[in-house]
Amino acid sequence: MAERSFVAEVEKLRLPAGEVFRGEGILAITKALLESGVAYIAGYQGAPISHLMDVLADAQDILAGYGIRFENSASEATAAATLSASVNYPLRGAVTFKATVGTNVASDALANLASGGVTGGALVIVGEDYGEGSSIMQERSHAFAMKSQIWLLDPRPNLPCIVQAVKDGFELSEASHTPVMLQVRIRSCHLHGQFVASDNRAPAFSVRDALENPVRDVGRIVLPPASFVHEKEKIEERWPAAVRFIQERGLNEFFSEKAADVGIALQGGLYNTVIRALQRLGLADVYGESKIPLYVMNVTYPVVEDEFERFCRDKKALLVLEEGQPNFIEQNVASIVLRRRLDVLLHGKDVLPMAGEYTAATVRAGLRGFLEQYGWTLPGVAAEAAQPQAAPAEAIAAPPSAAAQAVPVETPALAAAAEAAGARDEDILPPLSETVHPRPPGLCTGCPERPVFSAIRLVERELGTHHISADIGCQLFSILPPFDLGNTTMGYGLGGASAAALNVAPGSAPAGRRAISIMGDGGFWHNGLTSGVANAVFNQSDNLTIIVDNNYTAATGGQDILSTHNTVNPTRSTGHEIEDAVRGVGVKWVRTIRRTYDTKAMTAALREALTTLSAGPKVLIAQSECMLNRQRREKPLRRKAIAEGKRVVRERFGVDPDTCTGDHSCIRLSGCPSLTIRDNPDPLRQEPITAVEDTCVGCGHCGEVAHAAVLCPSFYKASIINNPSGWDKWKHRMRGAIIAWFQRGLARRRGRYAF
């Protein structure tokens, strides 16, 4: 298995009741699942939830010991559909995937699951990576919860709260017969902390029990007329049951409720950020004691109206702190304020950014702007000592219109107050964006996908530019320099489908102008085989599909897939070739390049694929192992061999400074991070030369593309030998002596003609 190993960490999952569990958020979630009596778990990897799948994979012996079924699903839709086991049986089941793209894929299954309802607890653990840590379109999962009436938990980011949210999620699901979505943000997944463990327990009702006692309830199947009844059930029975459970169990939390006449209602996942911002304003201490009343919504859907009314009582202003857009919660709260005639002025996106991640600096500025309106002297002045002034006339009792002006958060008065209070360096330093250059994401050193894009660039010199439909995964980095390839990306495994409209009748396309679609092996098995390749066969496409086969779902952490060449894992069936699959759905023209670093072979295959008169879709499979995973596997073995005194040879590439012309075609066509430039040693030449840094892994791509472009003969390959043999040492001495002899002769000749 190539994915990150948690073999040592998973032993903590065996801790009994009373012991203190210390570790990462992902491990805490797994422990909570074991303590909840879950019967089955499924999911699809994707940041920030990938490591949860890795932990579960490494903990399979522990899971099996409690009779828990676990599997890596083929897609998020597969995972969500797995929860149907909880429709008719009192089985507790959990699935996990990345949001929002994962929820998009799973939407149909989730909608049907929510319609019929569940008997057992059904928990969907969503890795929410909205903001700077995200690699996807900026959307939130909240809309899916509202659309399908799935309850959404967003717990405070600390391990006890996250663990309790998992347990509450199952119970809330069972109490309301509704699936529950547990949102864990990227910081929640990777924070470290501790909590007091409880005993793990086997499921009260197991998968085996369900198989031995099958149950069928036609009323739970989404088919008219039952589906019409489901909608009434959601509103008249399940929703009230959920609200009662939330209130009785106190899932939402009130802090410093009577401390002031203004308050903040916030998503649970933003609690740490808000507390930090309040600390910086002198309104909270390091223990989280706030001088501003806080209503922490660990359940962000449904909104509990009675709790909001309680919190708004005796307050003249309320700030709803909700990250992202649309402002679902703020709109919901506005309707509560108006419908219940609450005498409170509502603020939200008028003092905070309409969209984007709410970092501590952003929230601090928004809180400062909000509190200033109500007479608070900031920073560093205790809230209770402030003399509140009358609310400004522009304050409103409903959400601001789109034209409403944001409150300025940096004023001369605040700057003077900060100076008087002795502002710290972090308060006056310029933003990071002004001092650090942005660094776009890119392919790893030695990545086997880089030669594919270099080959496309080389072929386009002959055949002209092409429309290229990109895909989610590492190959998406090809849209950036130095490759500058790719016109669109529509979703994971949808590279082929994205080029479906850009197709003409076989044989009528301009020479070399077929559309090209690209997808990775992970995307191929996730969705691309049917939506891309099979669709192209069915519709007699004449386009080219390039499938980058690097053995793993490399972009999500190197998890095994069907085509992974590793066949030693007893829990999975791997080693299934992509070529067999595409031929199986009817593709006739298929080529597989076994070594992508062979630039000549790659360019020749591409040229043939784009110019052949063969009818039907063309599929080119570019196959080489992910270099990152290969290095993860080989480096420990190499270090061990060196420590044992064994002879170890490592290849590296370099550039001859006397030969390099400073053309830099290797950098322009490769972009490898190990390539850089240095001053030219020749005083008569000013162009900087190319140099290879120590991070080189010896793939040879830089030299390959330079030679393929017929531009540069300056690359050389060197072998670095650890623990050399006697023969190695003798050869090294002989080579040194011969080279020295030639160098002395060259020096004599130069000296002879110097005058």
Side-chain angles (χ1 to χ4, degrees):
M1 289 165 56
E3 59 257 39
R4 176 181 165 183
S5 174
F6 287 85
V7 172
E9 290 94 330
V10 297
E11 290 304 312
K12 298 177 184 178
L13 301 176
R14 302 182 190 273
L15 285 178
E19 296 287 333
V20 177
F21 183 102
R22 296 179 177 86
E24 197 174 2
I26 290 295
L27 284 163
I29 292 172
T30 311
K31 175 63 172 165
L33 290 171
L34 286 166
E35 293 178 0
S36 299
V38 68
Y40 63 93
I41 311 171
Y44 191 84
Q45 60 274 354
I49 215 72
S50 287
H51 287 167
L52 178 54
M53 295 299 295
D54 298 341
V55 168
L56 291 165
D58 285 333
Q60 286 197 64
D61 58 333
I62 300 175
L63 300 176
Y66 291 96
I68 302 169
R69 166 68 180 168
F70 166 71
E71 67 173 41
N72 290 77
S73 306
S75 71
E76 296 87 352
T78 307
T82 303
L83 288 174
S84 66
S86 295
V87 171
N88 292 310
Y89 305 99
L91 290 167
R92 285 191 168 183
V95 301
T96 181
F97 40 74
K98 174 189 179 78
T100 302
V101 288
T103 317
N104 286 335
V105 175
S107 180
D108 199 22
L110 290 177
N112 280 279
L113 183 73
S115 180
V118 295
T119 301
L123 187 66
V124 182
I125 303 171
V126 173
E128 191 86 352
D129 60 346
Y130 178 87
E132 289 185 6
S134 176
S135 61
I136 59 169
M137 81 292 287
Q138 293 297 276
E139 293 185 1
R140 298 155 56 203
S141 304
H142 200 106
F144 289 92
M146 295 174 63
K147 173 186 74 68
S148 298
Q149 309 287 274
I150 296 174
W151 317 137
L152 178 61
L153 307 185
D154 186 2
R156 287 194 290 137
N158 66 65
L159 262 54
C161 288
I162 294 170
V163 168
Q164 188 59 45
V166 172
K167 299 177 180 179
D168 289 339
F170 283 118
E171 295 186 27
L172 174 59
S173 176
E174 290 164 345
S176 60
H177 300 293
T178 304
V180 170
M181 190 179 292
L182 172 64
Q183 175 179 297
V184 282
R185 298 156 185 261
I186 190 166
R187 290 180 177 85
S188 300
C189 289
H190 301 302
L191 65 81
H192 285 253
Q194 64 183 43
F195 65 94
V196 178
S198 299
D199 285 327
N200 298 335
R201 57 192 180 96
F205 191 86
S206 68
V207 172
R208 182 179 294 275
D209 294 330
L211 290 173
E212 292 176 351
N213 303 279
V215 173
R216 179 173 178 267
D217 182 356
V218 177
R220 297 299 99 209
I221 300 175
V222 186
L223 183 71
S227 53
F228 307 133
V229 177
H230 295 165
E231 185 178 20
K232 291 188 64 179
E233 240 179 44
K234 284 181 180 180
I235 304 303
E236 296 176 3
E237 297 177 23
R238 299 184 207 165
W239 190 318
V243 170
R244 281 195 304 272
F245 184 91
I246 294 165
Q247 289 181 293
E248 291 170 2
R249 292 296 186 90
L251 300 190
N252 296 321
E253 298 172 284
F254 297 84
F255 295 98
S256 306
E257 189 176 359
K258 303 296 183 181
D261 59 358
V262 296
I264 303 170
L266 61 136
Q267 295 167 288
L270 293 177
Y271 174 81
N272 290 4
T273 303
V274 171
I275 287 296
R276 175 58 177 155
L278 289 172
Q279 287 176 13
R280 298 288 299 279
L281 293 173
L283 299 175
D285 61 23
V286 294
Y287 302 103
E289 292 293 332
S290 173
K291 297 177 182 178
I292 303 292
L294 302 177
Y295 173 49
V296 180
M297 290 177 284
N298 294 315
V299 183
T300 53
Y301 186 79
V303 171
V304 182
E305 296 193 8
D306 289 344
E307 290 185 350
F308 255 102
E309 183 173 356
R310 164 190 160 182
F311 186 68
C312 291
R313 197 175 299 135
D314 303 324
K315 292 182 178 60
K316 63 183 179 183
L318 173 69
L319 173 64
V320 177
L321 214 155
E322 175 186 9
E323 187 175 50
Q325 187 71 6
N327 53 342
F328 299 116
I329 299 174
E330 186 178 343
Q331 293 177 38
N332 200 337
V333 173
S335 69
I336 297 172
V337 169
L338 293 173
R339 190 168 54 252
R340 298 205 173 193
R341 294 182 172 85
L342 302 180
D343 186 19
V344 65
L345 299 172
L346 183 63
H347 296 272
K349 298 294 185 182
D350 56 332
V351 296
L352 285 155
M354 291 292 289
E357 184 176 7
Y358 280 4
T359 62
T362 301
V363 171
R364 182 182 62 167
L367 292 179
R368 178 179 287 176
F370 166 66
L371 294 171
E372 265 202 317
Q373 294 186 60
Y374 296 95
W376 292 69
T377 304
L378 299 171
V381 179
E384 56 269 24
Q387 298 299 317
Q389 301 173 2
E394 65 267 25
I396 54 176
S401 67
Q405 297 295 313
V407 176
V409 296
E410 296 294 344
T411 65
L414 285 175
E419 185 177 353
R424 290 165 293 186
D425 286 344
E426 62 252 41
D427 294 320
I428 57 177
L429 285 175
L432 210 58
S433 59
E434 296 179 10
T435 57
V436 179
H437 292 294
R439 181 184 178 186
L443 300 169
C444 301
T445 300
C447 176
E449 300 189 16
R450 184 174 279 110
V452 178
F453 307 124
S454 298
I456 293 174
R457 289 288 305 276
L458 291 169
V459 169
E460 283 191 332
R461 291 182 175 184
E462 306 172 29
L463 304 178
T465 57
H466 295 69
H467 175 91
I468 299 177
S469 295
D471 206 323
I472 301 298
C474 297
Q475 65 276 0
L476 192 57
F477 296 141
S478 65
I479 67 171
L480 302 173
F483 305 113
D484 297 307
L485 299 171
N487 299 68
T488 59
T489 175
M490 289 290 105
Y492 197 34
L494 292 175
S498 300
L502 300 169
N503 184 50
V504 294
S508 63
R513 283 299 198 276
R514 293 185 172 109
I516 301 173
S517 58
I518 302 173
M519 71 178 81
D521 45 359
F524 171 81
W525 292 116
H526 178 277
N527 192 20
L529 176 59
T530 53
S531 65
V533 178
N535 180 71
V537 172
F538 183 71
N539 289 290
Q540 300 184 58
S541 170
D542 196 42
N543 291 333
L544 167 63
T545 299
I546 301 173
I547 302 172
V548 182
D549 180 8
N550 54 27
N551 286 6
Y552 315 101
T553 52
T556 62
Q559 289 79 16
D560 291 341
I561 49 178
L562 274 166
S563 52
T564 296
H565 292 173
N566 170 30
T567 57
V568 299
N569 191 327
T571 65
R572 298 170 184 161
S573 175
T574 54
H576 304 283
E577 294 292 341
I578 291 177
E579 182 171 338
D580 294 340
V582 298
R583 289 190 185 278
V585 296
V587 179
K588 305 299 182 185
W589 196 101
V590 184
R591 301 288 185 275
T592 299
I593 302 297
R594 302 290 179 187
R595 183 176 177 274
T596 60
Y597 302 105
D598 187 345
T599 305
K600 290 183 179 179
M602 279 300 310
T603 53
L606 279 167
R607 189 182 299 110
E608 181 186 358
L610 293 170
T611 58
T612 180
L613 298 179
S614 176
K618 289 82 184 165
V619 174
L620 176 60
I621 303 167
Q623 191 178 81
S624 279
E625 183 181 11
C626 168
M627 183 58 73
L628 187 61
N629 282 307
R630 179 179 171 184
Q631 292 298 314
R632 284 173 178 163
R633 184 182 68 251
E634 292 183 351
K635 278 185 177 179
L637 299 176
R638 188 160 55 240
R639 285 195 297 266
K640 181 181 178 183
I642 292 171
E644 293 174 352
K646 296 179 181 178
R647 180 179 182 271
V648 176
V649 181
R650 180 168 65 93
E651 289 186 344
R652 267 207 54 196
F653 283 76
V655 175
D656 183 355
D658 294 326
T659 309
C660 180
T661 64
D663 176 83
H664 307 310
S665 62
C666 49
I667 295 176
R668 292 199 310 273
L669 290 170
S670 167
C672 180
S674 67
L675 293 177
T676 186
I677 56 173
R678 291 180 182 166
D679 290 336
N680 201 315
D682 189 338
L684 300 179
R685 293 190 298 167
Q686 295 184 351
E687 299 85 0
I689 62 169
T690 301
V692 182
E693 294 186 336
D694 290 338
T695 55
C696 173
V697 295
C699 70
H701 172 54
C702 48
E704 286 271 358
V705 295
H707 289 302
V710 197
L711 291 173
C712 180
S714 61
F715 278 88
Y716 64 83
K717 181 170 67 174
S719 296
I720 301 173
I721 305 175
N722 293 92
N723 301 321
S725 64
W727 174 246
D728 293 324
K729 294 177 181 178
W730 183 85
K731 286 192 296 181
H732 178 69
R733 287 194 298 269
M734 290 300 296
R735 287 169 178 159
I738 294 170
I739 292 172
W741 183 79
F742 279 113
Q743 287 176 334
R744 286 194 296 271
L746 179 62
R748 284 195 300 270
R749 287 193 294 276
R750 284 179 175 172
R752 187 180 307 136
Y753 296 108
F755 301 100

